[in-house]
Amino acid sequence: MEAVVERQNMIEALKRVKSNKGRAGMDGMTVHDLDGWLKTNWEAIKEQLLDGSYQPRPVLGIQIPKPNGGMRQLGIPTVLDRLIQQAIQQVLTPIFDPLFSESSYGFRPGRSAHQAVLAAREYVNSGRQWVVDIDLEKFFDRVNHDILMSRIARKVKDKRLLRIIRKYLQAGMMQDGLTSQRVEGTPQGSPLSPLLSNILLDDLDKELEKRGHKFCRYADDCNIYVGSKASGERVLERVTHYLERKLRLKVNGEKSAVDRPGNRKFLGYSMTKEKKARLKPSPSNVQRLKISIRQLIRRGRGWQLDRVIGELTPKLRGWGNYFKLSEVKTVFEELDGWIRRKLRNLLWRQWKDPQTRLRNLRNRGISEDSARRTALGGRGPWHSSGTKAMNFALPQKFFDDLGLVSLLAMRPSR
C-alpha cells in the first residue's frame, strides 16, 4: 500500500485517469474536478488507504450496445476510485505481467491485438488448420471473487492491498437509482479489471501450455489451434471441463465451436480458406463499417461534402489502421469504391431537380447527350450515382482533393 500511495505513483495514475477522460461516476465528480478536490482531501484518503478503512463507492451501471447485438453491462467507478485503482494497477503489473504466458496478448504493456492475430495466422500456416474457438459467457460478470483473490494472494502478501481489491470487487452497482450488491464479477469499465482478468485466466494459459497446445488469448477471447477436427473436439471438451470446474467460469456452448479458421473471426479478423491462409477483415466488421457510414451520411444529407468527409475521416483512419494487417486488398478496393458511390449518391440527392443535375454534370465536363440521359433518365439516386457519367464527373481525384481517406492507400504495400 505504501507503494500504491507513493507520490510519483499517484502522479502517474492521475495523468492516466485524466488522459482517459471518461464520464463521471455515481457521485457526479468529473476528471476536471479531481485536481482541486485532491488538494484538500488527499491526505485523509491516503491515511484511510494505509489504515485499511477506505470504503469504495458503488459503481455507476450503464449498458451499451454490443457490436453483434445485445447489451454490455459496464460499471463506471467514481473518478477517485478510478485513480486509486489505476495506482494499484501500476504497482501490480510489474509483479504479475512478467509471469504471464507468451500467448496472452490483451491489456499488457508492449503487446497488442495485432500480435495475437499474426501469431494465429502463423499457427494455421504451420499446419494447425482447425481452431477451437472458446467463448466465455459473460466473463466479467461471472468472475468468482474467492478464486480470483486466491490467485492474487499468491504474489501479494499485504493484507491491506488484498482487502481493498476485494472491496472493489464487492462494491455495489447503482442503476436506475438503486444499488445492488455484487457477489461475483469484476465491472467492465474499471482500470483494475483488465489486469485482474489476466491474473485469473493465467491459470488457463498455464494449463494449455502444460498440455502442449498452441493458442492465442486476448482477455477472455481464446483460440486454440489444432491439427484435426477430432482433436479440436477433445480439446473443447477438456478445456470446458477445466474452466467450469477449476475457475468456475461458464463456456457458452452456442458460440464456442471447432471449425476451420476461415469460418471464424478472431479480434475482428478472419482468414482466407487457402492452403496458406491470409488475413482479412471479417465480413461482419465490414458490414458494421458500412452501417456506420450509412448512418453518418444519412445524418449529413444537408451538409457540405467537405464536412461529411471531415466526419468520415477519423472513422476511416481508425478502421484502416486496425485492419492494415489484411493481405486481401480487394476488400479495401471495394470499400473505397462503395464509399465514393455513397458520396456521389449524397451529391445527387442534394442537386435535387433534373435541371440542377443536368447543369452540374455539364459543368463537370460531361457531354450534352450523356448528361441528359443521366439527369433526365428518371432512375433512382443509387442507380444514378453508379453511372459512367457520375463516375467521370466525380472521379477518385475529386474526392482525393477533398481529403477523403483511401482505405487501400492506408494498407502497407506487400
Side-chain angles (χ1 to χ4, degrees), residues 122-165:
E122 291 309 307
Y123 289 143
V124 172
N125 287 337
S126 71
R128 297 171 181 270
Q129 299 198 346
W130 289 87
V131 61
V132 182
D133 187 352
I134 295 174
D135 184 272
L136 292 174
E137 189 173 291
K138 295 183 177 178
F139 168 73
F140 285 94
D141 297 332
R142 294 267 173 86
V143 169
N144 181 285
H145 292 171
D146 290 337
I147 292 175
L148 173 57
M149 290 306 304
S150 72
R151 272 53 178 178
I152 299 171
R154 290 171 179 170
K155 294 294 175 185
V156 176
K157 303 306 176 188
D158 188 329
K159 288 185 168 50
R160 296 167 301 173
L161 188 49
L162 292 172
R163 276 197 297 269
I164 189 68
I165 292 172

Side-chain angles (χ1 to χ4, degrees), residues 320-340:
N321 279 324
Y322 184 74
F323 288 106
K324 66 185 179 183
L325 298 182
S326 175
E327 299 160 292
V328 182
K329 71 176 186 177
T330 52
V331 175
F332 294 81
E333 290 173 333
E334 290 168 4
L335 276 170
D336 277 349
W338 180 83
I339 291 165
R340 288 194 295 271

